[in-house]
Amino acid sequence: ASMKQPRKRSMTGTSLGLLRTLSVATLVLSASFGAHAALAGVKSKGFLSVATEADYAPFHYLVDGKPVGFHKELLEDLKAYAKTQNVDVKQDILPWTGLLASVSSGQYDVAFTGALVTDERLRVFNFAPPFASAQHFYVKRADDKRLSDIASLCGKTVGVQAGSALLARLPELKKMMKDKGCEMGKVVEYPSYPEIYADLANGRLDYAVNALISVNDLIKTRGDTFAKGIAVSGAGFAAWPVPKNSPELLTFLSGFMDQIRANGRLAALQTKWFGEAFPDRPKEPITNVEQFHTLAGMK
């Protein structure tokens, strides 16, 4: 599940973050020689293949036919970082559907995207150090004065994307409600967020749940219709997934994150595209469910 949502016009754009299968020989080289040898498999073909999406604001989308967004700009930094290791970067734009699978299967080396860290994905992927918060917040109609704190959500009807990271963490909200002495109302699952927001606007839903960056972007573009509520989960993370059998590319992306964190580029792009910087994100990769639950306060 990505964090997709509607735009006022058909914009586009994103990206995802994963990586490919490399040979056992490459793994051994990586263990011996670190990040430079980490890219031995990529160097053998002469370039790093990057898959991005084109309709996932504010990560990577189109305005008047031209790509814009957080990952669009960050791709330039990635190219510069790769060049220091004598690697070119080639980009292809793919639809979200099947994109993670195309990277995990080795069709592409890297995908830049606003992918959320989840238990399920951690069984297949490791995640590079997170580039943003993906804590879950509720959204309501701007004119709805009934909803404010957790207790006010009890018994109300909520919309969430089927099969999504948002749905998977609803038990945290259920526990918050139980602590207030009440229970969650009806949960309605939808294929996508445009449909959720349509039903929220017309009153079929009382509130929706989405990740922070998507909520901020929604309010930025449709603040006349919707309002941001409070957090309904512990910490969440947006990060680039890397197949478990590609530790060398995880090392490469971790080094890239270290560089853009240190030189201020990460904070500048976070502020520009997400509306805030996230200085307290974990600085290490997330590689297992237990670690994720500890970092997210889900223990």
Side-chain angles (χ1 to χ4, degrees):
S2 61
M3 300 184 287
K4 298 201 172 200
Q5 65 186 56
R7 307 291 301 179
K8 282 189 170 176
R9 55 186 185 275
S10 78
M11 298 181 170
T12 14
T14 308
S15 354
L16 324 205
L18 336 219
L19 320 189
R20 82 140 37 154
T21 305
L22 296 176
S23 67
V24 173
T26 303
L27 299 183
V28 173
L29 278 172
S30 174
S32 303
F33 302 113
H36 287 275
L39 294 180
V42 170
K43 286 182 177 178
S44 68
K45 65 178 180 181
F47 64 91
L48 182 74
S49 58
V50 175
T52 64
E53 200 184 346
D55 62 351
Y56 191 6
F59 298 97
H60 193 280
Y61 58 106
L62 300 180
V63 175
D64 299 327
K66 296 180 180 178
V68 297
F70 175 82
H71 282 105
K72 190 272 178 184
E73 294 198 44
L74 201 56
L75 184 63
E76 298 308 311
D77 296 78
L78 179 65
K79 287 177 178 178
Y81 181 77
K83 194 170 185 179
T84 66
Q85 300 189 36
N86 298 314
V87 173
D88 290 327
V89 175
K90 295 188 178 181
Q91 175 197 18
D92 281 337
I93 294 177
L94 305 178
W96 163 259
T97 308
L99 193 129
L100 296 189
S102 74
V103 178
S104 63
S105 69
Q107 190 176 349
Y108 291 91
D109 296 311
V110 182
F112 261 1
T113 190
L116 303 192
V117 179
T118 69
D119 290 9
E120 183 180 1
R121 287 174 182 167
L122 278 166
R123 294 184 181 97
V124 180
F125 300 108
N126 293 324
F127 283 83
F131 60 81
S133 169
Q135 188 169 26
H136 304 176
F137 283 73
Y138 85 82
V139 177
K140 65 176 184 175
R141 288 182 295 281
D143 60 0
D144 190 346
K145 302 293 190 283
R146 302 170 303 155
L147 305 185
S148 55
D149 57 6
I150 295 296
S152 71
L153 301 177
C154 293
K156 305 295 193 300
T157 301
V158 58
V160 68
Q161 186 179 24
S164 68
L166 293 305
L167 183 65
R169 292 185 67 177
L170 271 190
E172 292 175 68
L173 178 55
K174 290 180 182 177
K175 185 180 184 303
M176 291 179 191
M177 291 177 173
K178 187 176 181 181
D179 291 344
K180 298 293 182 183
C182 57
E183 294 183 357
M184 181 173 285
K186 183 180 179 182
V187 177
V188 185
E189 299 180 32
Y190 290 78
S192 68
Y193 272 91
E195 295 157 288
I196 292 174
Y197 293 136
D199 273 4
L200 179 57
N202 66 33
R204 289 193 180 98
L205 296 171
D206 294 306
Y207 67 105
V209 172
N210 206 341
L212 174 61
I213 293 169
S214 293
V215 172
N216 284 352
D217 198 62
L218 174 73
I219 303 308
K220 180 180 176 182
T221 56
R222 301 184 64 188
D224 53 338
T225 305
F226 301 111
K228 179 181 177 181
I230 61 173
V232 293
S233 79
F237 309 105
W240 307 310
V242 180
K244 292 284 188 186
N245 57 5
S246 295
E248 54 291 303
L249 285 174
L250 184 67
T251 299
F252 174 79
L253 288 177
S254 295
F256 174 59
M257 281 292 294
D258 287 343
Q259 182 185 82
I260 61 176
R261 192 186 302 110
N263 67 18
R265 177 69 166 166
L266 180 61
L269 289 180
Q270 288 170 333
T271 301
K272 177 178 179 178
W273 292 105
F274 304 154
E276 59 186 287
F278 304 105
D280 300 326
R281 294 304 84 204
K283 294 178 174 59
E284 71 276 7
I286 300 176
T287 59
N288 62 74
V289 170
E290 184 178 8
Q291 178 198 15
F292 168 47
H293 284 198
T294 300
L295 291 170
M298 294 165 67
K299 289 287 186 182

